[in-house]
Amino acid sequence: MFDTALSSADLIFLAKGAGMTIVVTAISVAIGTVLGIVFGVIRVQLGTVYAAPLTFFLDIFRSVPLLIQLVLANAFMGMVLRLQFSGLTVACMVLSLYTAAYCAEIVRGGIDAVPTTTRRAARSLGMTWGQDMRHIVLPLATRVALPSWIGLALGVMKDSALVYVVQVTELLKSTQILITRLQEPMFLLLICGVFYFVISFPLARFGGYLEKRWSND
Amino acid sequence: MIEIHDVHKSFGQLEVLKGIELTVDKGEVVTIIGGSGSGKSTLLTCINGLEPIASGRIVVDGTEVHAKSTDLNRLRRKIGIVFQQWNAFPHLTVLENVTLAPRKVLGMGKAEAEEIARTQLAHVGLGDKLATYPARLSGGQQQRMAIARALAMSPDYMLFDEVTSALDPQLVGEVLETLKMLAEEGMTMICVTHEMAFARDVSDRVAYFHKGVMAEIGVPDQIFGDPQHPETRKFLASVR
Amino acid sequence: MIEIHDVHKSFGQLEVLKGIELTVDKGEVVTIIGGSGSGKSTLLTCINGLEPIASGRIVVDGTEVHAKSTDLNRLRRKIGIVFQQWNAFPHLTVLENVTLAPRKVLGMGKAEAEEIARTQLAHVGLGDKLATYPARLSGGQQQRMAIARALAMSPDYMLFDEVTSALDPQLVGEVLETLKMLAEEGMTMICVTHEMAFARDVSDRVAYFHKGVMAEIGVPDQIFGDPQHPETRKFLASVR
Amino acid sequence: MFGYTFQWNQALARLPKMLDGAVVTMEVAVLSMLIGILCAILLTLLRLSGSRSLRAVATGWVEVARNTPALFQIYMAHFGIASFGIHLSPFVSLLIGITFNNAGYLAENFRGALKAIPDTQIRAGRSLGMSQTQAFRYIIVPQMLRISFLPMTNQMVWAVLMTSLGVTVGLNSDLYGVTQDLNALTFRTFELFAIAAVIFYIITKIITLSARLIAARLFRY
Amino acid sequence: DKLDDIISSGTLRCAVVLDFPPMGMRDANNEPIGFDVDYCKDLAKVLGVEAEIVETPFPERIPALMSGRVDVGVASTSDTLERAKTVGFSIPYFAFEMVVTANDKSGITSFESMKGHTVGAVAGTFEGIALEKQVKAWGEGEYRPYQTQADVFLALSQGQLDATVSTSTVAMASVNSGKFDGISVVGKAPFDTDYVALFASRNEYGLINYLNLFVNQQIRSGRYAELYKKWVGGTLPSLTVPNAYR
Ligand SMILES: Nc1ncnc2c1ncn2[C@@H]1O[C@H](COP(=O)(O)OP(=O)(O)OP(=O)(O)O)[C@@H](O)[C@H]1O
Ligand SMILES: Nc1ncnc2c1ncn2[C@@H]1O[C@H](COP(=O)(O)OP(=O)(O)OP(=O)(O)O)[C@@H](O)[C@H]1O
Ligand SMILES: [Mg+2]
Ligand SMILES: [Mg+2]
């Protein structure tokens, strides 16, 4: 059906782009998750009122288009602060905070989902706050949060398509470069879409499976 | 010995405990009865320091529970508590539920903790459910597990808060049997309950709570046979 | 009149009803007692056609429930049913809960439906809760609302499935009072219950179910005073 | 302190144009939500339907919407559809792309909401003599709407944010497009995009706050 | 200053647009090539440093400089006064003529006959801005800006656009590539000649002076003509403006 000029070198080029997508996603999700857990626990511990500044800060990342966040962060770092960060650094910084903002929300929901009666039971056995967190709250919260967290990781991977604006050549940008040269947009875009689908779908299914499994007990 | 002196406690505007006085001696079983919202559960959670109090003192074996200097985690080891809601740790097996606190709080080894857990679980009739997850247990079994979990810390006192009221009628009996057994073994206990027959059979003394006040306290025969306070009479008439 | 002839019913491999025979006359109150899983709930849901049956016939006022030609929606209007689980519609106020079916199913006008709903709600003692949402009601109130909801369709028959067993002990009384009142007013009723005192007081006949079979049926004095079947005797001993 | 001189008045002078862009952004977001909800209800019904092929179509839609970047979907809605000879304006392409995405996510939410409603509710309705349709319409749907109201609000916020991708299909009348055009003229990147960010933030806040008000009015139980 | 920094760092980082054939594009190995790429390499050579090509889309050229990610822009950038408020331009190093490319089915035969049609160009470029103004002046038809030159020609060949205005170089390169069916160059666009310049930070006078001299030397040495022949072909455009100094 497709008569294509796509060469094996081009496929490698695309694979490199895909690699960049995965690298950006992995770094951002890793840092973002750690930050998200910290922010989430802080928010629960501080309570609504004292955590308000943190809530506001994180809310910004969920209320402004990622494209604008990237452009702004890039302009701010470079033009205003005159810091010479690579595009990859800026992309990872923005995406990490973006991830953290959503992750904090997920963590908070997970912790809230642990019944206070269960936590009271732990404390009344003489466990400290830390032991309660470590042995009761985190294992239980993880069950609630993991499916959403997988959803978040997938979301970040898809949203990483936007980091082209800070000169990071990820999968979609690599595709566009090839489109410019080969002028076969539909074919190349389909390959690109299939690739995204192939990474997302099994993970999404896994998340669904966990949700189903854990909702039973 | 648990000594409660003039304890007051409020949630916001609502005064829930209005000067409670009660002393429970070693080996004594005190049952608390009373209407919904009268402050029974609140008193129990104050005794092991899960809730702060507004004024008054609660002293357990000479340690003042609400003093700043008190190490609550240490104190709670000797006060077991079982709540109305079954709060098994759902991600752990029955055996793990019971061994968790001995291992993490008392720093026991795995083998030793399991030894104790097995004994306690056998004691409450769950010797064959060690590897089961709580979701697979009936409500009564979950409650008995919670009792074993508290007992595994070798507490000196046990507090029970309506442990049977969330159970199907068929399951109530088995849990009450377990409590009775404990009482006979000489455990010091405070039980909040709606089961009058149980209160009458097992208690050394029965206290009637009404709107945050301990309206009346006495031996079961007196409370059930000859209640002094008009509210006690009303209450007993209503539950019979 | 409800006639049940040789009804069999299975869930997969499990035969739950094994040839039930029962006729309930106009104005009669029949109570069904029996162990868990004996098929009591299943029988009720078969009577109003919520569950299909494998063989046998159920005939209500001459209409065969499980015949292809039967308009079940129409038939169900005359058979009210109240379940163990409170299934109030949480998004509607008490009044709206009760008026919904009369308006949508019977096509009644709003004013007329509310008139009826008010009467029925007052009847079950909820006259002052019309604008309340179910989440604000106690379990007993929710159950009474469910009864009013069923009564608002002016059914000829009422089926009650352990309507008190999910309630706190304090709330049981008010719901049983409501049922008693209905029985005295001459409603034809089949009640599945665990409340033996209620069964004895209210029923014209009491049926004992055991493992899908109606082991025994008779007037309350006979069933409670002189049970014939050994299983009935065992069961009654266990619940007392 | 900074090696950069801010020229806010230059950028602020363009605020009216950007606000015009914000109106277009809102138009796209609102339309894509309304149509998206209708599509999502349809998808939910299709996924419950008896026909295997209808279920497959609906599932395919949902999975593609949820497993590929929104940018990709919008690009497809313009250049992809065009390769079948159907020419859509950038506005319509963006609208279709976002609607497709909204419908996929919402359909998944609706399914979850349906599962969360106990089937005793249907039983209760049926035993009062309601037909299947009546029970669904009067008992299930209202409860479903409540459960999925918060996810719908979130989706609306995302729809607003997604309009920024319209530039890839040649739209320049929306907020992001206007900002980008102004940037190409003046290169006051930081100032212009900071203002755009604030406008987006305000829009999303208005949405979440009004959703909360609506919810308080609608769902009093 | 910057000039010293570049020399001592050993690398010259140039912003180049790589979807703009034949000024910037990629070869079969996806390596950057084109007029601008060679121009950057020449500049690096005279500075005695290595050239590093940083790909920047059209709208990101100047931000890349501002954020310090590149040293100079060799990116076919029109030297508008608006932009000169932000960056410093050299003297022009290239000049574009604008042509109209139309879809054959549209019936467009000249710039004037674009009136009332759907037309488009690359967002934020000289010709894009001018075309948008023209459409507004005509009062009918529609203007659509796309993000890349590739998207414009794709939309044009799909028939989503009836015509576009672009630099003659990219139009010829695209039409001749044979990848797009049914489009042809139909005539000149009556826009001013688009002079493009190198750019650097506005206050780096030393560097800008150097760039001016470099552009001048490229012409004198014949290298400009050589590169023009290699990448574009045809008559060499004049880089001076009649009756004016610069
Ligand atoms: N965490 C809390 N915040 C606010 N009010 C509370 C809290 N816990 C309990 N209360 C209120 O304090 C009062 C006493 O509650 P408590 O649970 O001690 O009653 P109780 O005697 O145990 O009743 P029941 O028999 O229903 O369990 C009630 O009015 C209750 O609403
Ligand atoms: N929908 C169903 N699918 C499969 N099995 C069912 C279903 N409903 C009931 N059963 C089984 O049928 C048997 C009879 O159930 P039923 O609910 O009629 O008992 P019951 O007498 O009402 O008991 P209980 O007193 O516990 O309510 C039980 O073994 C139950 O597990
Ligand atoms: Mg209590
Ligand atoms: Mg039943």
Side-chain angles (χ1 to χ4, degrees), chain D residues 152-208:
Chain D
M152 280 192 324
T153 312
N154 288 338
Q155 192 64 37
M156 176 74 192
V157 168
W158 280 322
V160 169
L161 303 189
M162 276 189 279
T163 60
S164 64
L165 305 178
V167 290
T168 54
V169 292
L171 188 69
N172 68 340
S173 53
D174 68 306
L175 178 51
Y176 190 88
V178 168
T179 313
Q180 203 194 47
D181 272 7
L182 293 173
N183 184 39
L185 280 178
T186 65
F187 284 101
R188 305 310 306 177
T189 309
F190 186 79
E191 294 88 331
L192 285 169
F193 280 98
I195 293 173
V198 171
I199 299 178
F200 269 112
Y201 184 82
I202 293 172
I203 291 178
T204 57
K205 278 309 102 164
I206 292 175
I207 291 170
T208 39

Side-chain angles (χ1 to χ4, degrees), chain B residues 119-168:
Chain B
T119 317
Q120 292 300 352
L121 283 166
H123 204 71
V124 300
L126 291 176
D128 54 338
K129 301 280 181 191
L130 302 180
T132 312
Y133 281 92
R136 293 276 169 88
L137 297 181
S138 74
Q141 290 169 329
Q142 293 206 34
Q143 273 308 35
R144 284 183 281 146
M145 188 198 76
I147 296 173
R149 193 169 69 184
L151 291 177
M153 298 292 288
S154 321
D156 298 329
Y157 305 94
M158 284 291 291
L159 315 178
F160 294 97
D161 187 6
E162 300 185 21
V163 285
T164 59
S165 71
L167 298 180
D168 286 348

Side-chain angles (χ1 to χ4, degrees), chain A residues 117-129 131 134-137 139-140 143 216-217, chain B residues 45 48 50-51 73 76 79 81 83 85 87-91 100-101 104-105 135 149-150 153:
Chain A
T117 55
T118 307
R119 300 190 61 178
R120 281 197 151 198
R123 294 307 299 277
S124 68
L125 288 168
M127 290 191 209
T128 60
W129 182 84
Q131 284 172 330
R134 158 97 186 65
H135 298 291
I136 308 298
V137 178
L140 290 177
R143 295 168 169 232
N216 288 344
D217 53 38
Chain B
T45 47
N48 81 342
L50 281 174
E51 288 283 355
N73 295 328
R76 284 182 194 142
I79 310 175
I81 185 166
F83 300 96
Q85 310 88 337
N87 34 39
F89 305 140
H91 59 305
L100 181 68
K104 301 302 169 186
V105 177
R149 193 169 69 184
M153 298 292 288

Side-chain angles (χ1 to χ4, degrees), chain A residues 56 59 63 102 158 189 200, chain D residues 66 72 75 105 158 205:
Chain A
F56 173 74
D59 194 39
S63 308
Y102 282 99
K158 283 174 273 163
L189 277 171
S200 311
Chain D
R66 286 157 37 86
F72 172 84
Y75 203 87
Y105 277 90
W158 280 322
K205 278 309 102 164

Side-chain angles (χ1 to χ4, degrees), chain B residues 11 14 16 35-42 51 84 162 194:
Chain B
F11 288 113
L14 186 72
V16 176
S36 185
S38 56
K40 309 179 297 292
S41 302
T42 307
E51 288 283 355
Q84 166 174 6
E162 300 185 21
H194 278 142

